[in-house]
Amino acid sequence: MLKLKPKFDLQRDVVSDIFRKEALVGRVKEFSGSVDTCILNIERDGGILYSWKGATGTTRIGKYNPNTKQNKLLYTFDKQVCVSSCSLNKEETLLAVSLAQRTRGEEHFKPMSKCLTLLIEIHPINNTKVLKAVDCRVRVQFLYPETSSNSLLESHLLLLAEDGYVDQYHVLLCRQEGYRVVMVNPERLSKVAEKVAEDFSWVQWDRQTQRLYYLTHKDKSLLRCVQFFPNHNFETVLELPLELPTNVFSTVRFVNLGFDHYHEERPEEELVRMEVFTNRIGTMCVCCSQPVNDNREQTYMVVFVHKGCSKTFRVSLDSDASPQTPQSPTHLHPLFIPMGYYILVYLAGYFLHCINTRQQEMLCHSLFLSGHDAELGLPASITVLGAEEENATVLLDLGSGRSYTAALSPAYLLQILQSDTPTCRPRVPSSPAVRPGRGSRSPDRPLCVGSDSSGQGTPPSPGGRLHSACLHSGGTPPSPGGRLHSACLHSGWSDPQRLAALHCLLVYMGHDPHLQVKIIGWLCDKVMPFESFDQIQEFILASLYRISYEKSLSLDKVLPYSSVFDKEVPVCLLEVPGVSCTTELHNEPLFRVKARSLQGFWLELQWNTERMKYLEAVPNPRYRTSHIQSDWDKLRTERRSSSLLKRMEDNMRKVLSMVDTWSLDNKLVPLFQEEDPQQRSLIGLMVDKLREHLNRHLPRLGKKRIDLLVVNYVAKLLELIRHMLESVWLKYKLGPRALCFTQQGSPAEWAVFHFMCRMLEATRGLCLPLPPGYHTLLAVLGVRCLPHHTFLQYIDHGLLQLTETFVSRLMTDLDNSDANEKLKFSILKRLPEPMEQRIYQLWDHPVTSASISRYYVKTLLEKHNKNKGFAFTGRDKPGFRPEFLPLTYLAKILSDVEEQALNPFEEQENVDARFVEETALKQTLFLLGFEEK
C-alpha cells in the first residue's frame, strides 16, 4: 500500500564519517570501536541533528545536511552527557541543548537538577549560557522564519517544560572581529522571556508551518493553536473544544519535538494518543486513539475541523491477523500517517484505514484493509515526521536510524481494481443471445440487445443496459473466448474497496497520464458496471473533480464527486464489515483573530468552516448533473426564448474554443469535426446551470473566476471523453479502416463499440454532453459490427442516433445491393423531413429521383400559385392515374389552371389528359436537365 523510498541512513550517511573522524582524533589508522549514535532532532530545513559518544570519552553533536550530503561537527562536550533535546538556529550560530542529568556514586549526595538547559555560541565555539536547571524534562526548539537571508542577528528559541509551560527567548546577536557571532546581554535572557502557553498536558510542534498546538483542561478539554509569524510575533489563533476524558495524560506528552532517548514512555500510561494534521488549502484534522480494550476493539476518532464534524470508528480485531501480529494488542495505539488529504490509520497486522478527509460523508470513499492486505511491513519503532510535500510523508525508524519518503502505491491500488476474478462460467459462444437470468429481469441487471430464439429482435428499454456478452445472429463476438456476465460473483476485493481505490487513483494521483491510461485500460476490461456503482461514471466525475479540487475547499461540497450521490446508495457502500462509524456535529472552532487579520491557511480554514455551516443548512448544495434533465427535456420539446438560446450558444462557443486551444494535434479519433445541434445545446445548458449553482452557493469566488472554472470544467469533460476514446483506440490498435462502411467489424472494433455504448449509457445517466461527432462515430461502428435489423433496433430505442454526417456517408459509400438498399430505405424512413430531403440528393436511385422530382415540382408550383393567386379547385378528374409519380399531381394542377383560364367566347372542349401528362413529363425533363430543347 505504501511505496517507501530511502531518504537517510544513519549508518551510511553519518557513522562511516564518524569512524573516519574518530580515527583522526585517536591518531590511529582506522577506528574499530563502537559509537553510540542517536538522532536528536530534525529541523525545518531537513537538517538532522545527532549525537555520538566519542572514543576519548566525549559527547559530540553534529548535523547532517541532506542537500549537500555533508556532516558538520557543531559542539563537543568534554565528557559523556545524556542529550535529551537539541535544536540549532537557522544561521547555525547558536545551539540549544537540554541534558538529562543522572547521579552516579560519589555524586549521589550532591544537589543536582534532573535537567540542565544550555544555550551555546558555536560560531565559533565561545560562551555557554544556562537557561534552565529544573527537575522536569525540557524540550528546546528554535524558530525558523521564512526569510531568504542567513545573516539575521536575532534568533528565537522555544523552551517547553514538562511542568506545563512554554517560554520564548529572544536572543540578540552581534558580530565581533568580523566573523565572531556572540549573544548580546545573555544575562538578561531569562528576564525578557515571553510566556507562550501554560497549564497544558499535551503539546505538538509543526516545524513546516511554525505552529504550536497544546491541550489544556479546566471544565473541558480545549485545543489551542499558536501561530508564529515571520516577524517573530506569535498569536493564539484558534481554540477548539474537544470531547476527551478527564486526566487522559498522566504526564505531559511532547509530539514532534525531537527524540529523548533517556526517557521511556510507558504504553499503559498513554490512555489517549493525539495528533493534529493540516493542509495548506485549509483542512485541519485532529486524530485521537485509545488503546485496544478488553473486547479487542480499537477506537479512534477524527475531528474534521474544516467540515464541522467528527467521526468515531470502532474496529473489531478479528483472529485473521497476519502472523507478524502481536498476540496481545493491549496498550497498542494505531499510527496516524498524513498523506496529502488522506490520513492513514495503521495498526500493524490488523488493519489499515485510508481516510478521505475531504469527502468523508460516505465510508465507501475511504479505503479499509484488514489482515494480510493491511500489512505495510513497518517496524514498531517507526515515527511519522510529517508531510515533506503534498503527496508524500517522511517516516523515521529510530531503531535502525533510517528515514523513508512514503507515498501511496499506485501499483497496489491498481491491483485492487484488476485482481478481482469472476468465478462464474463464461458465455457459450454458440448461443445467439445471452440474457442476465431466467424469468423477469431485475431493474439493475443488464439487458441483452439482439436476436432471441425465434430470430426476432429483442429491443432494450430506453434506459436499458447493454450486455457485454451480446452476440447477435450474424454478428461478430467481442472476443474469441467470449465475455463474462456482469452479474458474476467476484472473489477478492469488495465494491467499496474498488470504489475507494479508484477515487484515490483518479483524484489523489490522477495527474500522472500513464496511470490514467492504465485505468482506462481497466475500464475496457471491466466494461460492465458493478452491482453498486458505475465505474465509468465514477471515472468521469472523479477526473473532473481533480481539476478543480485545489481551487477551493468549499468546492468539495458543491461540485459533483461521485455518481452514488445521484441515486439511492446501496447498503454495501454505507458499511464496512467489522467497522462501526458514528458521525457527530462538532463544536465550531473559535478564531481569536479578527477575520480581516487572518491570512493564508487561517483565512482559508475560517472561510471553509463558515461556508460548510451554510452548506449543511441549505438543501441540495451539491450540484448533480442529473438535475438538468428536466431542463434538457424542455429545451428539446418546447420553444425557448431567444435570449436563453443566445446565452447557451455563447456558452457553447466558449467551451469549444477552449477545447480548440488544447492539444488536438493527434486527431486519432474524428471528434469536434462536425455540427451536432443536440450536444451543442446540452453543452450550453450545462455551463449555464453549473454557473448559476456556483454563483448561488459560492459568491466569494467571484463571477469571473466562476465563469472560467465552469467553462474549463465542461471543456475538460469533452477533452476527457476524447482522451478515453483515443486510449481505447490505441489499446485495440484501430486504424482508418474502422471508419469504412464496406467491411464487417473485427472483434477489436466490436469491443470499442461496446465500450462506447457503455460510455453513452454512463453519460446519459448523468445527463452529460458528449463531444460533437461522438454519435456519428458510434453509428459507424454500429453498422459495421451489428446485423442490420439489430442496428435498426438500436436506432428505434435511442441507443444510436442518425446524424446527417453518418447518413450522408452511408448513402454514398455503400453500394446498392439488395441488403444495403433495404438498409438505406429503412434509414430514410427514420429521418426527419428536412434531413430526408437533403439526403435524397446524395443517393442516385429511382426512388430518390422521384422524391426529388415530386418535391421540386410541388415547390415550384406552390411558388407560382402564390405569385399568380390561383386557388386549387380540388376536383377529381377521372382520367388521372395516382400511380403516375409526380406528374399526376402536376396534371391536376394544370387542369385546374386551364379551367380558370377558359375564354368565355370560345367553345369549351374536353381536356386531353394524356396530352397533359406527356407535356408535363417533357417539361420536367427539361427543368431537371435530363434533355435539351
Side-chain angles (χ1 to χ4, degrees):
M1 182 66 178
L2 285 186
K3 181 173 58 176
L4 301 180
K5 180 181 179 181
K7 180 179 176 66
F8 170 77
D9 189 334
L10 188 64
Q11 296 294 322
R12 180 195 64 200
D13 299 324
V14 174
V15 173
S16 59
D17 197 32
I18 290 177
F19 280 175
R20 182 179 58 82
K21 292 178 180 178
E22 289 296 327
L24 294 176
V25 173
R27 302 188 185 283
V28 295
K29 292 184 179 180
E30 184 177 355
F31 180 73
S32 59
S34 61
V35 291
D36 183 10
T37 311
C38 300
I39 297 176
L40 300 175
N41 198 3
I42 299 179
E43 300 290 2
R44 184 182 186 181
D45 61 359
I48 300 174
L49 302 181
Y50 55 88
S51 69
W52 78 94
K53 304 295 177 64
T56 57
T58 60
T59 300
R60 303 184 181 188
I61 298 177
K63 176 187 177 181
Y64 173 77
N65 189 326
N67 298 319
T68 62
K69 311 294 183 183
Q70 298 295 321
N71 289 282
K72 179 180 180 181
L73 177 64
L74 299 177
Y75 189 76
T76 302
F77 292 95
D78 56 5
K79 63 178 181 179
Q80 291 191 357
V81 296
C82 302
V83 182
S84 62
S85 182
C86 180
S87 185
L88 178 70
N89 69 342
K90 184 178 181 179
E91 296 75 30
E92 298 187 359
T93 57
L94 292 176
L95 182 68
V97 179
S98 182
L99 305 178
Q101 301 191 94
R102 297 182 177 181
T103 56
R104 307 189 187 111
E106 67 280 0
E107 299 176 349
H108 184 73
F109 296 101
K110 292 182 180 180
M112 182 181 296
S113 58
K114 293 182 179 180
C115 184
L116 183 66
T117 304
L118 307 175
L119 186 59
I120 308 170
E121 298 171 354
I122 60 171
H123 190 75
I125 297 175
N126 197 21
N127 296 325
T128 299
K129 167 66 177 175
V130 177
L131 294 181
K132 288 283 183 182
V134 292
D135 290 334
C136 65
R137 291 182 296 150
V138 174
R139 300 291 177 94
V140 290
Q141 180 62 57
F142 274 104
L143 300 182
Y144 272 60
E146 292 183 351
T147 57
S148 57
S149 174
N150 290 326
S151 60
L152 294 178
L153 296 178
E154 184 178 9
S155 289
H156 302 267
L157 174 69
L158 297 181
L159 189 148
L160 306 94
E162 192 179 22
D163 285 346
Y165 62 87
V166 179
D167 291 337
Q168 181 179 15
Y169 291 84
H170 304 279
V171 186
L172 298 179
L173 304 170
C174 68
R175 292 187 181 275
Q176 295 180 357
E177 303 175 8
Y179 72 97
R180 186 186 300 272
V181 179
V182 298
M183 291 181 283
V184 177
N185 299 326
E187 66 280 354
R188 291 182 53 82
L189 285 177
S190 299
K191 297 180 181 179
V192 297
E194 287 186 84
K195 188 72 68 178
V196 177
E198 56 186 350
D199 297 330
F200 61 82
S201 58
W202 172 93
V203 62
Q204 174 182 325
W205 173 248
D206 189 333
R207 64 176 182 272
Q208 294 297 331
T209 60
Q210 300 288 283
R211 299 184 193 126
L212 186 74
Y213 304 94
Y214 65 95
L215 186 69
T216 64
H217 185 88
K218 291 183 179 179
D219 297 333
K220 56 183 177 180
S221 297
L222 190 66
L223 178 68
R224 288 191 171 100
C225 179
V226 179
Q227 177 71 65
F228 294 89
F229 299 101
N231 59 2
H232 310 300
N233 293 328
F234 65 89
E235 192 166 7
T236 301
V237 181
L238 176 138
E239 292 182 351
L240 179 69
L242 295 176
E243 298 294 334
L244 295 176
T246 57
N247 301 324
V248 292
F249 299 105
S250 57
T251 59
V252 170
R253 301 291 176 179
F254 297 103
V255 181
N256 296 342
L257 284 163
F259 310 102
D260 188 351
H261 300 273
Y262 302 97
H263 176 78
E264 295 184 3
E265 298 283 356
R266 296 182 179 181
E268 63 272 11
E269 294 180 355
E270 193 175 10
L271 301 180
V272 171
R273 177 174 291 178
M274 188 171 81
E275 290 186 67
V276 179
F277 303 109
T278 60
N279 189 285
R280 59 180 177 81
I281 62 171
T283 66
M284 181 177 182
C285 296
V286 182
C287 301
C288 305
S289 68
Q290 300 177 15
V292 177
N293 57 26
D294 296 336
N295 296 326
R296 294 180 61 85
E297 187 177 70
Q298 176 71 68
T299 302
Y300 52 96
M301 176 181 68
V302 180
V303 180
F304 304 95
V305 181
H306 55 285
K307 297 288 187 180
C309 68
S310 66
K311 285 184 176 290
T312 301
F313 301 92
R314 292 178 176 83
V315 182
S316 298
L317 305 182
D318 54 23
S319 57
D320 297 333
S322 66
Q324 295 78 17
T325 302
Q327 294 299 318
S328 177
T330 309
H331 309 312
L332 288 182
H333 285 271
L335 192 67
F336 296 107
I337 306 175
M339 202 70 66
Y341 63 85
Y342 281 93
I343 292 179
L344 275 62
V345 185
Y346 174 60
L347 187 61
Y350 286 98
F351 69 86
L352 173 66
H353 196 178
C354 189
I355 300 177
N356 190 333
T357 65
R358 296 188 60 167
Q359 298 292 342
Q360 81 296 336
E361 294 97 326
M362 299 176 61
L363 292 179
C364 60
H365 294 137
S366 298
L367 179 61
F368 186 87
L369 305 175
S370 60
H372 295 273
D373 299 329
E375 189 58 49
L376 297 181
L378 299 178
S381 57
I382 204 74
T383 301
V384 179
L385 299 181
E388 182 183 57
E389 53 192 47
E390 186 67 21
N391 297 331
T393 295
V394 180
L395 304 179
L396 174 64
D397 180 9
L398 280 176
S400 64
R402 295 187 180 95
S403 70
Y404 308 89
T405 300
L408 293 176
S409 171
Y412 188 86
L413 295 173
L414 277 172
Q415 181 183 350
I416 294 178
L417 298 181
Q418 298 170 348
S419 63
D420 50 337
T421 305
T423 57
C424 66
R425 60 185 179 86
R427 173 183 58 83
V428 180
S430 60
S431 174
V434 180
R435 295 188 182 278
R438 297 178 179 178
S440 59
R441 184 177 65 91
S442 169
D444 294 331
R445 296 291 181 87
L447 180 65
C448 180
V449 182
S451 300
D452 57 17
S453 58
S454 63
Q456 300 297 322
T458 307
S461 62
R465 291 176 174 172
L466 303 179
H467 195 282
S468 65
C470 291
L471 179 62
H472 312 283
S473 58
T476 305
S479 62
R483 290 185 180 269
L484 298 173
H485 199 286
S486 70
C488 297
L489 296 177
H490 298 275
S491 61
W493 305 101
S494 64
D495 280 8
Q497 289 173 322
R498 295 191 198 98
L499 181 59
L502 180 60
H503 274 270
C504 188
L505 285 167
L506 292 173
V507 181
Y508 185 73
M509 307 176 184
H511 298 284
D512 183 359
H514 301 290
L515 179 61
Q516 193 176 55
V517 170
K518 291 181 180 179
I519 299 174
I520 295 175
W522 170 74
L523 292 176
C524 293
D525 297 334
K526 301 292 180 185
V527 67
M528 292 309 298
F530 292 109
E531 292 294 334
S532 57
F533 69 94
D534 187 323
Q535 64 269 32
I536 295 181
Q537 290 182 344
E538 295 298 317
F539 178 87
I540 294 173
L541 292 183
S543 300
L544 292 177
Y545 171 78
R546 185 187 69 247
I547 69 173
S548 54
Y549 81 102
E550 292 182 348
K551 308 291 183 183
S552 174
L553 193 64
S554 301
L555 291 170
D556 289 352
K557 197 74 175 177
V558 177
L559 281 182
Y561 178 74
S562 174
S563 63
V564 299
F565 292 112
D566 286 347
K567 55 188 177 183
E568 185 178 352
V569 183
V571 177
C572 68
L573 298 182
L574 299 175
E575 299 176 350
V576 175
V579 180
S580 64
C581 176
T582 304
T583 304
E584 296 179 353
L585 293 178
H586 200 271
N587 295 325
E588 291 185 51
L590 174 63
F591 290 90
R592 299 287 297 274
V593 182
K594 295 181 179 179
R596 63 176 178 272
S597 301
L598 293 173
Q599 295 180 356
F601 166 82
W602 297 111
L603 181 61
E604 290 297 322
L605 180 61
Q606 189 260 352
W607 160 252
N608 290 332
T609 54
E610 288 186 357
R611 187 50 35 179
M612 288 301 164
K613 182 180 177 181
Y614 159 77
L615 294 176
E616 289 292 341
V618 299
N620 300 322
R622 189 182 299 277
Y623 176 80
R624 299 186 180 182
T625 55
S626 57
H627 285 178
I628 68 172
Q629 184 66 55
S630 59
D631 295 283
W632 174 232
D633 294 338
K634 292 180 181 178
L635 187 64
R636 289 183 297 175
T637 58
E638 300 179 4
R639 185 177 182 84
R640 311 299 286 179
S641 64
S642 58
S643 59
L644 174 62
L645 296 177
K646 184 178 183 301
R647 187 169 70 245
M648 290 196 301
E649 183 70 16
D650 292 340
N651 295 337
M652 177 273 304
R653 288 177 180 173
K654 290 179 182 179
V655 171
L656 294 184
S657 64
M658 182 171 288
V659 172
D660 290 340
T661 60
W662 292 339
S663 176
L664 292 177
D665 297 333
N666 184 20
K667 295 180 179 179
L668 187 63
V669 181
L671 298 176
F672 302 102
Q673 297 179 14
E674 65 178 79
E675 295 286 335
D676 191 334
Q678 278 200 356
Q679 296 306 313
R680 291 165 71 93
S681 299
L682 185 54
I683 290 171
L685 179 64
M686 183 176 179
V687 172
D688 199 55
K689 293 300 179 180
L690 182 56
R691 179 170 50 206
E692 176 186 335
H693 187 82
L694 294 184
N695 279 324
R696 180 168 62 253
H697 293 298
L698 296 177
R700 175 178 179 261
L701 296 180
K703 291 186 177 181
K704 289 185 178 180
R705 186 179 175 188
I706 288 177
D707 188 67
L708 180 61
L709 189 150
V710 169
V711 171
N712 185 58
Y713 185 90
V714 181
K716 281 289 187 180
L717 165 64
L718 303 179
E719 178 68 11
L720 176 66
I721 295 175
R722 182 194 70 88
H723 176 62
M724 292 174 69
L725 288 186
E726 288 194 346
S727 300
V728 176
W729 217 261
L730 291 172
K731 174 182 173 67
Y732 290 101
K733 300 178 181 179
L734 298 190
R737 291 184 177 181
L739 305 178
C740 177
F741 286 91
T742 58
Q743 296 178 353
Q744 189 178 18
S746 65
E749 292 167 12
W750 202 102
V752 174
F753 170 72
H754 186 203
F755 181 77
M756 291 185 66
C757 286
R758 278 285 294 115
M759 284 185 61
L760 177 62
E761 176 192 354
T763 53
R764 278 185 176 176
L766 297 174
C767 199
L768 295 175
L770 291 165
Y774 186 95
H775 288 288
T776 296
L777 182 60
L778 182 60
V780 170
L781 291 176
V783 80
R784 286 173 56 88
C785 298
L786 299 175
H788 289 172
H789 69 280
T790 308
F791 174 76
L792 296 175
Q793 288 180 355
Y794 273 60
I795 295 172
D796 293 339
H797 289 85
L799 300 173
L800 294 177
Q801 290 186 15
L802 294 176
T803 64
E804 188 165 349
T805 303
F806 165 75
V807 180
S808 300
R809 286 196 52 203
L810 182 78
M811 295 297 171
T812 55
D813 292 0
L814 286 183
D815 59 23
N816 288 336
S817 65
D818 293 342
N820 290 341
E821 191 174 271
K822 183 178 179 181
L823 174 65
K824 291 180 181 181
F825 281 128
S826 300
I827 289 178
L828 287 175
K829 288 191 296 185
R830 289 166 169 82
L831 296 179
E833 184 175 352
M835 186 191 299
E836 182 183 18
Q837 296 301 326
R838 294 191 296 269
I839 297 301
Y840 281 157
Q841 305 286 340
L842 304 175
W843 186 21
D844 185 12
H845 191 274
V847 173
T848 58
S849 300
S851 178
I852 293 173
S853 301
R854 185 185 303 113
Y855 183 77
Y856 176 78
V857 171
K858 177 183 177 181
T859 305
L860 186 65
L861 291 179
E862 284 180 348
K863 182 178 179 181
H864 177 75
N865 179 48
K866 182 178 180 181
N867 293 335
K868 298 300 182 180
F870 292 140
F872 298 142
T873 62
R875 295 182 301 171
D876 294 327
K877 296 296 182 180
F880 290 171
R881 292 173 295 178
E883 67 276 7
F884 189 67
L885 297 178
L887 300 183
T888 301
Y889 181 80
L890 177 61
K892 180 177 184 299
I893 300 303
L894 292 178
S895 65
D896 289 341
V897 172
E898 184 183 40
E899 287 183 1
Q900 296 183 30
L902 290 177
N903 189 337
F905 300 101
E906 297 180 0
E907 185 178 355
Q908 296 184 2
E909 297 180 358
N910 294 328
V911 178
D912 187 348
R914 176 63 61 182
F915 173 76
V916 173
E917 292 172 358
E918 292 176 356
T919 304
L921 178 59
K922 200 71 174 177
Q923 184 66 22
T924 302
L925 293 175
F926 290 152
L927 292 175
L928 294 178
F930 293 109
E931 291 186 7
E932 296 183 358
K933 293 183 179 180

